Amino acid sequence: MPIKEVFPNPTVKQVIFQIKFPNLFSIESKIGDFQTKIISEFPESSLMFRKQIVFADIGPEGKIEELPGGPSEGKKIWQFKSEKKITLNILTSSLDLTSNYHKTYNNKDAPVRFRDTIQFVLENFLSIVKLPIIQRIGLRYIDECPVPALTTASFKEWYNTVFPFERFSIEETVETSYVTLVKRNGYFVRYLESFNAEQNKYVLDFDSYAQNIKPEDLLGVTDKLHELISNEFEKTIKTPVIEYMKKPIKKDEGK
């Protein structure tokens, strides 16, 4: 059941792309040039600091400010946001994109595609920052899926779940989750399925990644990571979920 269409009511709520690379102090001097290149798409910018946590036994007379790398020190984060609130974070050892807006990766019928945003950011970043190797590249999709009814039979009609409902029925389940990490064709896929009965919330969390990638292969590898995620999503949902995603969102339910 390959999914080829763009749905008006998709289950995906957040998409995240990230690359990690060796720590480069030179990035700070190039951020201004990078900002100029992407400002048309990411006009809002800010500088933040992520404080590092230090665990130490300083004794009754010790002072936290006397510790090396105390609370005043932390990692710089150059953050850029688009008008659609797509967030881009640059650190000296990573780049990540987070979107609550995109609903498709590369469907040709969609006016906005997440792959296009990734390509725009990477091309401009790599034009000013020369990376010898990408240590890790990751793509993650988080889906919040509908729960038709709190019955095992209904849940199985909608989802090909890995939950052991034969032993622990959904009628008696308060909260459950399952996570696995597998390696396929040289790439990794972490599959997380979780259900909370009190919140009536069912989440599918797909995180695929690769290691030690050449910069020129970034987009091609990202395509393969997306294919792995798409395959797992298709294996998990059934026809009623497809029909749910096809239904337009009512105006009073605006997102």
Side-chain angles (χ1 to χ4, degrees):
M1 186 182 59
I3 299 175
K4 300 296 184 182
E5 60 185 294
V6 180
F7 298 100
N9 187 28
T11 57
V12 61
K13 299 302 177 185
Q14 190 174 74
V15 192
I16 303 166
F17 169 83
Q18 184 190 58
I19 60 171
K20 292 184 177 181
F21 41 82
N23 196 38
L24 298 174
F25 297 117
S26 61
I27 283 181
E28 183 166 4
S29 65
K30 299 178 180 180
I31 283 295
D33 293 335
F34 177 66
Q35 180 183 14
T36 301
K37 287 177 173 290
I38 66 166
I39 199 168
S40 61
E41 296 294 329
F42 293 86
E44 184 180 337
S45 61
S46 59
L47 173 62
M48 302 184 298
F49 291 86
R50 180 180 296 165
K51 290 188 175 181
Q52 301 185 44
I53 300 175
V54 178
F55 295 93
D57 182 1
I58 59 177
E61 304 298 327
K63 295 181 179 180
I64 187 70
E65 57 266 25
E66 294 176 354
L67 287 171
S72 63
E73 296 185 12
K75 292 184 177 181
K76 285 185 178 180
I77 303 174
W78 293 274
Q79 186 172 95
F80 307 90
K81 290 185 177 182
S82 72
E83 294 179 351
K84 297 180 176 65
K85 302 304 179 184
I86 303 165
T87 301
L88 166 63
N89 292 317
I90 304 291
L91 286 78
T92 56
S93 59
S94 67
L95 175 155
D96 63 77
L97 271 167
T98 300
S99 174
N100 299 321
Y101 175 77
H102 289 93
K103 303 304 179 184
T104 184
Y105 175 74
N106 196 32
N107 192 300
K108 61 181 178 60
D109 297 323
V112 181
R113 295 173 288 267
F114 192 48
R115 188 184 191 274
D116 292 342
T117 301
I118 293 173
Q119 184 174 11
F120 172 78
V121 170
L122 286 181
E123 286 181 350
N124 285 293
F125 185 73
L126 295 176
S127 69
I128 62 171
V129 179
K130 306 304 179 184
L131 298 178
I133 192 73
I134 306 298
Q135 295 171 324
R136 187 183 189 276
I137 174 175
L139 186 65
R140 183 180 180 186
Y141 276 70
I142 301 174
D143 290 75
E144 293 182 9
C145 304
V147 180
L150 293 180
T151 66
T152 299
S154 177
F155 200 90
K156 286 186 174 182
E157 182 183 347
W158 282 56
Y159 301 102
N160 183 27
T161 178
V162 296
F163 293 147
F165 282 146
E166 292 77 10
R167 181 174 180 181
F168 305 106
S169 69
I170 196 173
E171 289 86 348
E172 63 182 3
T173 296
V174 176
E175 186 176 3
T176 186
S177 63
Y178 171 86
V179 62
T180 187
L181 176 65
V182 297
K183 188 175 183 180
R184 290 181 177 163
N185 301 322
Y187 305 119
F188 297 88
V189 183
R190 185 184 67 90
Y191 173 93
L192 172 65
E193 188 176 345
S194 65
F195 171 70
N196 187 303
E198 294 180 349
Q199 299 177 3
N200 197 33
K201 190 174 184 179
Y202 176 55
V203 174
L204 295 172
D205 189 337
F206 307 92
D207 187 1
S208 61
Y209 64 93
Q211 297 173 321
N212 299 322
I213 303 298
K214 295 179 180 179
E216 59 267 27
D217 296 332
L218 278 175
L219 273 177
V221 171
T222 306
D223 291 341
K224 293 178 180 178
L225 296 180
H226 174 262
E227 183 179 351
L228 290 173
I229 291 175
S230 181
N231 289 340
E232 291 304 323
F233 181 66
E234 292 165 15
K235 291 177 183 177
T236 305
I237 64 171
K238 295 183 177 181
T239 300
V241 183
I242 298 290
E243 297 303 317
Y244 168 87
M245 293 192 292
K246 287 182 178 180
K247 294 180 180 179
I249 303 173
K250 296 179 181 179
K251 291 183 178 180
D252 57 357
E253 296 176 353
K255 294 187 177 181

